[in-house]
Amino acid sequence: MIQFEGVNKWYGDYHALQGIDATVAKGEVVVVSGPSGSGKSTLIRTVNRLEEIQQGRILFDGQDVHAPSLDVNKFRSRVGFVFQSFNLFPHLSVADNIMLAPTLVLGRGKGQARERAQQLLARVGLAAKVDAYPGQLSGGQQQRVAIARALAMDPPAMLFDEPTSALDPEMVGEVLQVMKSLARDGMTMICVTHEMGFAREVADRVLFMDHGRIVETGTPSGFFENPQSERAQRFLADLTSH
């Protein structure tokens, strides 16, 4: 489904991604973890061309994501992306935020798009908020709207870039519940997250990054109970000491 082949990225002299090789299978949930500055967000942002790469290839369903001929906007409509900071349009209602891309990009009629928006809001537990504005919602509610907005394009895969890191602790759970339900439904997902409980419970695999490399990859139980690399051992020891 998603393949990284010898991917390298630099910012000036800084080698942000170093020889990344990884595959995410259809229906797989992969959690990317690691210390701050390890390249996790850069990695996930290369999948839908929010970041360019200098070497290697990234394939999405066999399509070369960084090919010069790629229609980037059309491609991005097939990859759901949920940001740390919601990125909702404040002047649009919740329903209109969700309807915008399906009507503009997919050419859906307003009625059909609104019906789908209502279904998705019910799915993320916000059926009553269809006509509210982002400023009237809590952070957790805004992030759930952002997930519904990504799902409105019926993407075959979803990317989550630290979707709970801007939230108060009591709101984290409501967003993770939605992500868990997506995983149960077989959605292909790459999640950059510090929520290790989510990784344990939901991930099929954990990729652990440090200094722009994938240092370790394994099942959640293998990674948490028996990390192989010294860097992962230190990282997990730091987490449990806080």
Side-chain angles (χ1 to χ4, degrees):
M1 179 89 186
I2 302 170
Q3 287 161 284
F4 299 88
E5 299 177 350
V7 171
N8 283 278
K9 174 172 179 61
W10 286 264
Y11 295 107
D13 294 335
Y14 179 65
H15 200 170
L17 294 176
Q18 304 188 34
I20 299 289
D21 290 300
T23 301
V24 179
K26 187 169 167 47
E28 194 174 27
V29 178
V30 172
V31 164
V32 185
S33 75
S36 293
S38 58
K40 307 183 297 292
S41 287
T42 303
L43 178 73
I44 201 171
R45 291 167 71 90
T46 61
V47 177
N48 70 343
R49 282 269 290 263
L50 287 171
E51 296 282 359
E52 298 292 333
I53 61 174
Q54 280 84 32
Q55 282 177 356
R57 288 202 311 168
I58 299 172
L59 302 176
F60 184 95
D61 259 356
Q63 185 174 36
D64 184 347
V65 173
H66 290 263
S69 58
L70 182 84
D71 180 335
V72 177
N73 288 336
K74 190 174 170 195
F75 170 72
R76 279 190 190 144
S77 72
R78 297 187 55 233
V79 189
F81 200 101
V82 178
F83 298 85
Q84 198 169 335
S85 53
F86 325 138
N87 289 11
L88 300 176
F89 292 108
H91 62 290
L92 295 180
S93 71
V94 163
D96 287 338
N97 263 286
I98 296 170
M99 291 162 59
L100 190 64
T103 50
L104 288 179
V105 181
L106 301 181
R108 286 191 185 150
K110 279 266 163 56
Q112 185 192 5
R114 187 174 170 92
E115 191 177 323
R116 179 82 172 122
Q118 287 171 318
Q119 287 170 352
L120 288 167
L121 285 168
R123 166 151 199 198
V124 300
L126 292 173
K129 300 293 185 185
V130 64
D131 293 314
Y133 283 81
Q136 299 169 310
L137 304 179
S138 70
Q141 289 171 331
Q142 289 188 59
Q143 192 61 293
R144 285 186 280 158
V145 171
I147 294 172
R149 177 182 58 183
L151 291 172
M153 298 298 283
D154 301 319
M158 290 278 285
L159 309 173
F160 294 86
D161 187 10
E162 303 205 14
T164 58
S165 64
L167 300 178
D168 293 334
E170 65 268 22
M171 293 173 191
V172 168
E174 61 195 49
V175 173
L176 293 179
Q177 278 309 121
V178 174
M179 293 169 67
K180 286 174 190 174
S181 79
L182 289 176
R184 281 195 296 272
D185 291 350
M187 175 65 80
T188 307
M189 292 161 60
I190 304 180
C191 311
V192 172
T193 181
H194 293 291
E195 297 295 334
M196 292 298 125
F198 174 80
R200 267 181 199 269
E201 191 180 334
V202 183
D204 296 300
R205 270 188 309 136
V206 176
L207 301 183
F208 178 77
M209 291 186 70
D210 188 40
H211 293 315
R213 299 177 190 274
I214 295 175
V215 180
E216 188 162 338
T217 176
T219 63
S221 59
F223 175 70
F224 288 109
E225 285 148 37
N226 189 21
Q228 299 301 300
S229 63
E230 190 217 343
R231 187 63 192 91
Q233 290 163 10
R234 275 209 323 273
F235 175 75
L236 291 168
D238 284 349
L239 281 183
T240 47
S241 67
H242 287 317

